[in-house]
Amino acid sequence: MKRVKRELIKENTEELKELLKKQTKKQLMFRIQMLILLKENPKITLKEVSNLIPVSPPTLFRWWNYYKKGGLERLLQWNVEGYKGKLSKEQLNELIEEIKKGKFSTQKEIIQWIYEKFGIQYSQQGISDLLRKLNIKKKTGRPVNIKKDEKKEKEYKEAIFKNIVKSNKDKDIFF
């Protein structure tokens, strides 16, 4: 296995370790760790580095080429974007407004409305994930005992309130 030219690493290990402490992205942490291992161990190969950090040798070679061509700046570039979704921000805002108006009773109605309005098809799971991402929760009725006595419930709550106030006379009560 061909050894890398460590003299190409311009930064010293202390600088790299400080940079590693400040890093928040795991993939970029691995890239910095690669440089530290190469700098500190003069006889280690990239294949041996792959045994020390959870990265394959071809990826390490690619990272090393990034570093050779553009230095630390090129090595630490992060051009990965997450999935943005099917709907644009304007479409999402329009959907949220319609939901706030109470237009929909079911997720199937939302799926149908999106398809008719924007021509975008969502699955049941897809719309469920979207609504969870938007922090929109379905409203469901809660069971109530049919034998519940409203008058007794009110009396009970008033009695509890009086006990709380009586036992906490010197304290402020917020509820």
Side-chain angles (χ1 to χ4, degrees), residues 156-173:
Y156 174 77
K157 286 181 180 179
E158 288 174 358
I160 291 292
F161 178 73
K162 287 178 184 176
N163 285 339
I164 291 172
V165 171
K166 185 190 284 186
S167 62
N168 296 298
K169 285 184 179 181
D170 57 339
K171 298 177 186 169
D172 293 331
I173 302 171

Side-chain angles (χ1 to χ4, degrees), residues 7-60:
E7 58 273 7
L8 294 175
I9 303 175
K10 299 172 186 88
E11 298 78 18
N12 62 38
T13 52
E14 290 78 26
E15 292 172 336
L16 292 171
K17 286 178 181 178
E18 280 300 313
L19 186 62
L20 182 64
K21 287 179 187 176
K22 295 176 185 173
Q23 196 51 249
T24 56
K25 287 187 172 51
K26 188 181 278 189
Q27 282 295 335
L28 297 182
M29 292 171 101
F30 291 148
R31 293 175 188 200
I32 297 168
Q33 285 174 338
M34 173 193 75
L35 288 179
I36 292 170
L37 288 169
L38 291 172
K39 188 79 171 177
E40 288 181 339
N41 306 307
K43 294 186 178 182
I44 197 169
T45 64
L46 285 173
K47 184 153 177 89
E48 292 168 334
V49 170
S50 74
N51 293 329
L52 300 171
I53 58 177
V55 179
S56 68
T59 301
L60 290 174

Side-chain angles (χ1 to χ4, degrees), residues 93-104 113:
N93 289 335
E94 193 172 338
L95 173 63
I96 291 168
E97 288 302 316
E98 293 298 318
I99 290 171
K100 284 180 181 177
K101 290 178 187 174
K103 184 173 185 171
F104 310 112
W113 183 83

Side-chain angles (χ1 to χ4, degrees), residues 116-151:
E116 290 171 359
K117 182 80 173 172
F118 306 118
I120 298 172
Q121 186 67 46
Y122 267 94
S123 66
Q124 185 71 40
Q125 185 61 49
I127 203 68
S128 180
D129 292 343
L130 176 65
L131 294 174
R132 188 178 311 107
K133 178 184 161 196
L134 295 174
N135 206 17
I136 297 172
K137 299 176 181 158
K138 61 182 176 182
K139 296 179 182 174
T140 59
R142 300 289 180 242
V144 178
N145 191 331
I146 57 171
K147 297 178 183 177
K148 175 178 154 182
D149 186 350
E150 298 282 340
K151 186 177 179 185

